Amino acid sequence: MPRTAPRAPGAALASVLAVLVIAAGPAVVSRAAGLNQAFPPPTPVPPDGSLSPYPTALATPPPSDEPPELRAEAAALVDLDAGQVLFARDGRERRPIASLTKIMTALVVLELVAPGDPVTASAVAAGQSGAELGLVVGETLPARELLYALLLQSANDAAVALAEHVEGSVAGFVDRMNDRAEALGLEDTEFFSPNGLDDRGFSTAVDLARLTRLALDVPEIARIVGTKVHDVPAPEGEPRHIQNRNALLWLYRGALGVKTGFTTAAGFCLIVAAERDGERLVAVVLGEPSQAWDDAATLMNYGFEAFERRAVVSSGEALEPVSVQGYAVPAVAGRTVYAYVDEGPVRIDVRPLGGLKLPVQEGQRLGLAVVRVGGAEIGRIPVRVGDLPEVPGTGLPLWRRVAAVLVALIGRMVTGT
């Protein structure tokens, strides 16, 4: 794997200045610059519009198969497809998460609202502080535009407008967020607002990786978090040009998104996903003392260097037979499961469907199989009927022969012959 570029002169100062933009207000940028530059362009920071630069390069050690040293208080590296945890440091420690909260906000919104639905800003939404789009009371925008503001520039006013639109109140929406977290099994996560602005909300690096995997399965979210710059219509005049706060979209090869966050209590937080050569990983770093870019990139480099992704179960692979009315029916895996395997046994537990009866047909679904590596579940796959044995001299599978005999017997009983 190629090394990342060395830090450019003055980049250390740029990195320090750059992190200020995470807590800043609307960012107005040049669309052409944002798309074409090799690094994110400077962005104006209210109230005077002075430019705050982003980093122009990463400072990471050479990629290594040794676990990295990180400054983050907590971190996790997870296979984006299977959910296998490849690395964790205090990965289940509950911590404040600042604007990473907005990933759940976006997920809940898109589970209940169409992207084109009109959303009108209330006085409560327009009055939000911190990072904001600059909504005007009574302004109406499609939900999609507010989601861009929410996920690119972390707009707190967009978060509240969306929450009120979905549930009628912020409190009702927060209840919905926590219900969703419970349904997802995020046992160490609780939300207190839709934006995470200096609230009591908390989560863990492992829970956030799990939430991000689900969010990126939503095409609208995946498209938005991978966007560098976007124009949001304004009530009048020129559109509002917003820039993604995730500098790794420019600086890390294969980056897909996802979200930045900062409050004094949470420190600098970052979730990033990336894909290289068909391998997809998600890294979470929480509680960074200054900036999170280098640690996140270092963690990603470790994942791509240290782990080999391979098939642990292949489609059509024979599994343990399934008993159907006393007969051992051959079973096969319905699809392939990939995992990053470094240690731990692979275990496949077949769970048959209830009420299975003879005869069965090749390819028929028999149940599901839970695939575990080192004790951790990494996938569930369908189990299907495999190749059925033939009865010698007939060319027919045994089950067809049995069925024919049963039909004949029943016919004799009915007719009395």
Side-chain angles (χ1 to χ4, degrees):
M1 178 177 295
R3 299 185 181 185
T4 52
R7 182 175 290 274
L13 176 60
S15 295
V16 173
L17 292 173
V19 296
L20 297 176
V21 78
I22 296 178
V28 181
V29 298
S30 161
R31 169 176 286 275
L35 290 173
N36 298 328
Q37 286 190 200
F39 50 86
T43 59
V45 177
D48 57 6
S50 61
L51 292 180
S52 178
Y54 276 93
T56 59
L58 297 171
T60 60
S64 170
D65 58 5
E66 294 296 322
E69 296 183 4
L70 305 173
R71 299 178 306 160
E73 294 290 336
L77 178 70
V78 174
D79 173 10
L80 188 58
D81 294 308
Q84 183 183 6
V85 178
L86 306 179
F87 171 91
R89 192 178 80 185
D90 293 325
R92 299 190 184 279
E93 176 186 325
R94 294 181 174 184
R95 295 191 53 82
I97 58 172
S99 286
L100 302 187
T101 297
K102 293 173 174 123
I103 295 176
M104 178 62 91
T105 300
L107 179 64
V108 171
V109 167
L110 284 172
E111 288 178 339
L112 299 169
V113 171
D117 282 1
V119 177
T120 300
S122 70
V124 173
Q128 295 298 302
S129 60
E132 57 181 286
L133 178 62
L135 290 174
V136 176
V137 177
E139 176 182 356
T140 299
L141 286 168
R144 178 185 291 110
E145 299 297 336
L146 293 174
L147 287 166
Y148 272 101
L150 179 83
L151 296 172
L152 266 64
Q153 72 169 49
S154 208
N156 295 318
D157 50 357
V160 171
L162 288 165
E164 291 180 329
H165 176 76
V166 171
E167 286 293 338
S169 70
V170 169
F173 187 83
V174 171
D175 288 342
R176 176 80 70 167
M177 294 170 72
N178 286 317
D179 288 345
R180 195 70 181 93
E182 182 178 358
L184 293 173
L186 306 182
E187 297 178 354
D188 295 304
T189 297
E190 187 172 0
F191 300 102
F192 286 83
S193 76
N195 53 35
L197 181 62
D198 287 321
D199 65 16
R200 294 173 291 150
F202 59 83
S203 188
T204 70
V206 170
D207 272 8
L208 287 169
R210 195 169 173 187
L211 173 61
T212 300
R213 291 183 59 233
L214 182 65
L216 289 179
D217 279 341
V218 180
E220 192 79 21
I221 293 178
R223 180 166 48 253
I224 290 173
V225 298
T227 300
K228 292 180 177 179
V229 295
H230 181 74
D231 292 342
V232 177
E236 57 183 30
E238 294 295 320
R240 289 163 285 202
H241 306 281
I242 58 175
Q243 178 175 312
N244 200 316
R245 301 265 171 97
N246 186 359
L248 293 187
L249 282 175
W250 286 264
L251 300 177
Y252 194 80
R253 179 170 61 87
L256 305 172
V258 177
K259 189 72 186 73
T260 62
F262 170 79
T263 62
T264 301
F268 293 92
C269 304
L270 177 64
I271 302 175
V272 62
E275 179 176 10
R276 291 186 180 178
D277 301 322
E279 299 180 359
R280 303 198 313 156
L281 302 174
V282 58
V284 182
V285 290
L286 304 176
E288 290 280 356
S290 58
Q291 53 88 5
W293 319 117
D294 292 339
D295 267 4
T298 298
L299 195 52
M300 278 290 186
N301 286 345
Y302 167 65
F304 287 123
E305 181 76 16
F307 298 91
E308 179 183 0
R309 187 171 183 261
R310 66 177 176 85
V312 294
V313 182
S314 298
S315 179
E317 179 180 334
L319 305 176
E320 63 182 71
V322 172
S323 178
V324 180
Q325 293 184 303
Y327 290 91
V329 176
V332 296
R335 67 176 177 85
T336 301
V337 174
Y338 295 91
Y340 293 85
V341 180
D342 61 337
E343 60 182 22
V346 177
R347 178 176 173 178
I348 304 171
D349 295 320
V350 176
R351 300 179 181 178
L353 293 171
L356 291 171
K357 295 181 180 180
L358 296 175
V360 294
Q361 302 292 325
E362 289 182 8
Q364 176 182 330
R365 183 157 184 167
L366 291 171
L368 64 81
V370 179
V371 184
R372 293 183 172 88
V373 175
E377 182 178 326
I378 62 168
R380 298 188 175 201
I381 58 174
V383 176
R384 302 192 181 279
V385 176
D387 292 336
L388 296 172
E390 294 183 355
V391 177
T394 68
L396 295 175
L398 175 61
W399 311 119
R400 292 184 184 177
R401 185 68 174 173
V402 169
V405 171
L406 289 174
V407 169
L409 289 173
I410 292 172
R412 290 180 182 180
M413 293 173 62
V414 171
T415 61
T417 59

